């Protein structure tokens, strides 16, 4: 059987293609999307060629869907179930997963399969490996469009918070307040941040950052962000920095603004360039106890269920992220181009199918 999908045809080229419907292994599921969202990572992949050449690869890794076929060894899911599909779907029996880094199962970043090593979710059907470990039931009462944010935006933004290890009362700077950074703001607030600085410029993002708990907005277009942070913290800097935007030089600023003993958590996908620089003096000549951690979001059913429970209990409202809603698969390209062009009123588009 054939299906349609919206694909990366090659670096810098996208379009609709036809492919065979994927086959279901004994542990797997075939899912049809109910709601999907394009990601800035799709933009890095296609237009920056960040992970190298990919030909006729269906894009997309953020979806909520309905199971249409299920492997005979799957225990907890059945045809017809509505599920949250995480962007990262590791092989849970791998040594990397046993070592606590499931997102790198099978090699660095290899837990990221959709729109990287296999066809993604912008298709009539897509394949999910290890359904019992990688899917989560979409709770009744959660809106599928809002819940697509559980695939990637919530777990990635929150992973930035985990990497920076935000503690009660910490002062935090979140650099970048697109949808990922906004979830890092929300996650930092849930983790007990005190002063919470958010760096960005788009008006809707700024409003959302305040609603998610930012106490101060820093506009990087109106002066050096390190100077602005130093002025607001009386020269002391912040305890934690989460990087969810900017470029390779943003690390320099993060190190300059974090206190000795502080931590930097990066979830930004660096799409180009060869090196990230560390400023020698501000890094304490190598002895400043300024830790830099960077990571791909963890996937997995347990995490998805826990993050969904934050929405169910009203502690997290992802609907503020959804500025552009489309009905129908045919709008996929339009939605992806919004992510590429980043109009001033955009936070995140969603396509409901
Ligand atoms: P957006 O492009 O929507 O947001 C980027 C943010 O960074 C905006 O707030 C932007 O400001 C700000 N920014 C841009 N340039 C600078 C600068 N020079 N200094 C400071 N801030 C700046 O991106 P997303 O939120 O969609 O994604 C963020 C990153 O996370 C992307 O690189 C994405 O690929 C990556 N990602 C990583 C994942 C992981 O698992 N680690 C998973 C998913 C995404 P402005 O308001 O002006 O636009
Ligand atoms: Zn993504």
């Amino acid at each position: 059987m054939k299906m349609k999908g919206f694909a990366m045809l090659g670096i810098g080229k996208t379009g609709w293609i036809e492919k065979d419907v994927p086959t279901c292994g004994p542990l797997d599921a075939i899912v049809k999307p109910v709601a999907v969202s394009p990601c800035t990572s799709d933009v890095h992949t296609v237009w920056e060629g960040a992970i190298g050449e990919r030909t006729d690869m269906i894009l997309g890794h953020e979806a909520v869907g309905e199971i249409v076929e299920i492997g005979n060894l799957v225990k907890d899911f059945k045809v017809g179930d509505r599920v949250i599909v995480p962007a990262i779907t590791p092989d849970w029996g791998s040594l990397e997963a046993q070592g606590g880094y499931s997102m790198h199962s099978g090699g660095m970043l290899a837990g990221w399969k959709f729109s990287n090593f296999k066809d993604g979710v912008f298709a009539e059907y897509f394949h999910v490996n290890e359904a019992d470990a990688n899917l989560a039931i979409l709770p009744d009462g959660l809106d599928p469009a809002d819940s697509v944010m559980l695939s990637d935006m919530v777990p990635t933004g929150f992973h930035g918070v985990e990497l920076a290890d935000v503690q009660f009362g910490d002062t935090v700077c979140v650099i970048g307040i697109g949808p990922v950074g906004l979830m890092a703001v929300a996650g930092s607030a849930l983790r007990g941040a005190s002063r919470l600085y958010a760096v960005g410029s788009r008006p809707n993002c700024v409003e959302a950052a305040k609603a998610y708990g930012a106490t101060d907005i820093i506009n990087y277009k109106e002066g050096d962000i390190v100077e602005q942070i130093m002025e607001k913290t009386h020269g002391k800097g912040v305890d934690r920095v989460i990087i969810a935007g900017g470029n390779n030089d943003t690390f320099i600023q993060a190190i300059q603004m974090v206190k000795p003993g502080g931590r930097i958590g990066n979830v930004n996908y660096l799409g180009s360039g060869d090196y990230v620089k560390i400023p020698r003096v501000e890094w304490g000549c190598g002895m400043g106890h300024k830790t830099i951690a960077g990571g791909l979001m963890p996937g997995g059913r347990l995490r998805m269920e826990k993050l969904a429970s934050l929405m169910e209990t009203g502690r997290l409202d992802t609907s503020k992220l959804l500025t552009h809603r489309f009905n129908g698969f045919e709008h996929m390209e339009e939605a992806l181009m919004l992510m590429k062009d980043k109009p001033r009123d955009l936070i995140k588009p969603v396509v409901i199918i």
Side-chain angles (χ1 to χ4, degrees), residues 39-41 61-62 87 152-153 348:
C39 178
T40 305
S41 300
H61 51 259
E62 301 183 16
D152 192 359
M153 299 299 98
K348 184 89 172 168

